[in-house]
């Protein structure tokens, strides 16, 4: 059974999440302190971490920085009452795998936990060729093959597909795609992500990129 470390200083919320995860077949562990969370993550090797931003000793962002700085690659889902795009981007760029603003439904949280746990490991940043089923992306030559046939992509389409192929099976939010492919200065209210996902579907096949309602997109 997968172990989930819950880092949350509100006892009611921590208990609610822990009971739900236990009922779903997971092994929950809880702490309300950021520094203790770092120690537990380093010693206990949890399968996933649910990390609140507002902790009494150090912030969730500091916890995330400490973990990633020590090479911990455990999936992290940030939990916070802060719903601004800037806070979401800060978490994602700091190494978080997902971001859930409070309040949230437990059903959605459980769905995201399961998605992260079954996601394939992301290829290393130095990898020059990415492969997913019959898709092949060569970063050096900027060539994309679909079932052995070369497909022409624009520079932005290529970057978007590369992002998906570095996170196969994971749901990527609009904000995560915007910050990764277009940068922080891009208008968060734009529909550019939807437009370019549509372009990729036209060129690669609409069944390859699935819309996960209310969450983002996933490479199938």
């Amino acid at each position: 059974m997968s172990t989930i470390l819950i880092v949350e200083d509100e006892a009611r919320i921590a208990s609610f999440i822990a009971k739900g995860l236990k009922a779903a077949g997971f092994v929950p562990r809880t702490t309300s302190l950021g520094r203790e969370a770092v120690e537990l993550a380093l010693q206990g090797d949890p399968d996933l971490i649910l990390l609140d931003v507002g902790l009494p000793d150090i912030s969730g962002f500091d916890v995330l920085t400490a973990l990633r700085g020590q090479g911990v690659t455990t999936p992290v889902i940030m939990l916070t009452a802060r719903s601004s795009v800037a806070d979401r981007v800060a978490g994602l760029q700091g190494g978080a795998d997902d971001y859930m603003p409070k309040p949230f439904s437990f059903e959605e949280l459980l769905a995201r936990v399961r998605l992260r746990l079954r996601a394939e490991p992301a290829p290393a940043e130095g990898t020059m060729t990415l492969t997913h089923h019959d898709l092949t992306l060569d970063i050096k030559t900027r060539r994309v093959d679909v079932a052995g046939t070369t497909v022409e992509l624009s520079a932005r389409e290529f970057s978007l597909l590369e992002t998906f192929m570095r996170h196969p099976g994971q749901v990527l939010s609009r904000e995560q795609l915007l910050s990764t492919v277009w940068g922080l200065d891009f208008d968060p209210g734009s529909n550019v992500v939807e437009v370019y996902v549509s372009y990729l579907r036209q060129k690669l096949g609409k069944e390859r990129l699935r819309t996960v309602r209310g969450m983002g997109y996933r490479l199938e």
Side-chain angles (χ1 to χ4, degrees):
M1 292 187 290
S2 298
T3 299
I4 312 295
L5 176 59
I6 304 165
V7 189
E8 169 62 65
D9 67 326
E10 293 188 44
R12 178 181 58 84
I13 295 177
S15 176
F16 167 74
I17 295 174
K19 288 178 181 178
L21 290 175
K22 187 174 182 179
F26 296 102
V27 178
R29 298 187 66 187
T30 62
T31 180
S32 61
L33 299 175
R35 291 188 177 88
E36 184 177 24
V38 174
E39 294 177 6
L40 290 173
L42 292 173
Q43 297 170 6
D45 194 22
D47 296 288
L48 184 141
I49 301 171
L50 297 176
L51 178 59
D52 185 32
V53 171
L55 299 171
D57 53 351
I58 60 175
S59 76
F61 295 132
D62 292 333
V63 173
L64 185 61
T65 298
L67 293 177
R68 296 303 188 233
Q70 297 196 52
V72 176
T73 60
T74 304
V76 174
I77 300 177
M78 305 291 287
L79 308 176
T80 179
R82 305 177 186 179
S83 59
S84 73
V85 172
D87 284 324
R88 292 187 217 177
V89 169
L92 293 170
Q93 287 204 320
D97 297 270
D98 207 344
Y99 197 106
M100 285 203 66
K102 299 176 183 178
F104 51 80
S105 70
F106 180 76
E107 289 75 14
E108 181 180 354
L109 176 64
L110 183 60
R112 296 196 185 205
V113 166
R114 285 172 169 160
L115 282 170
R116 297 302 166 196
L117 287 175
R118 72 168 180 252
E120 302 171 29
E125 286 299 323
T127 301
M128 299 306 293
T129 302
L130 306 179
T131 302
H132 183 69
H133 300 313
D134 60 352
L135 277 177
T136 302
L137 182 148
D138 190 310
I139 296 172
K140 186 175 181 179
T141 64
R142 311 295 286 182
R143 173 174 169 169
V144 174
D145 289 337
V146 181
T149 301
T150 301
V151 176
E152 295 296 329
L153 298 182
S154 69
R156 197 72 76 177
E157 291 167 349
F158 188 94
S159 295
L160 182 59
L161 179 59
E162 180 184 348
T163 301
F164 279 117
M165 291 186 70
R166 287 192 179 279
H167 302 84
Q170 295 186 29
V171 178
L172 302 180
S173 67
R174 285 185 71 259
E175 291 80 8
Q176 190 171 2
L177 293 171
L178 272 174
S179 65
T180 301
V181 179
W182 282 270
L184 295 180
D185 295 331
F186 205 90
D187 179 9
S190 169
N191 69 340
V192 68
V193 172
E194 290 79 1
V195 170
Y196 274 82
V197 166
S198 176
Y199 290 162
L200 286 182
R201 284 172 170 162
Q202 292 172 25
K203 295 184 177 182
L204 307 178
K206 63 180 181 181
E207 73 284 351
R208 295 183 187 275
L209 292 174
R210 179 184 173 188
T211 300
V212 182
R213 188 173 181 180
M215 297 171 66
Y217 301 95
R218 180 174 68 226
L219 178 65
E220 294 289 297

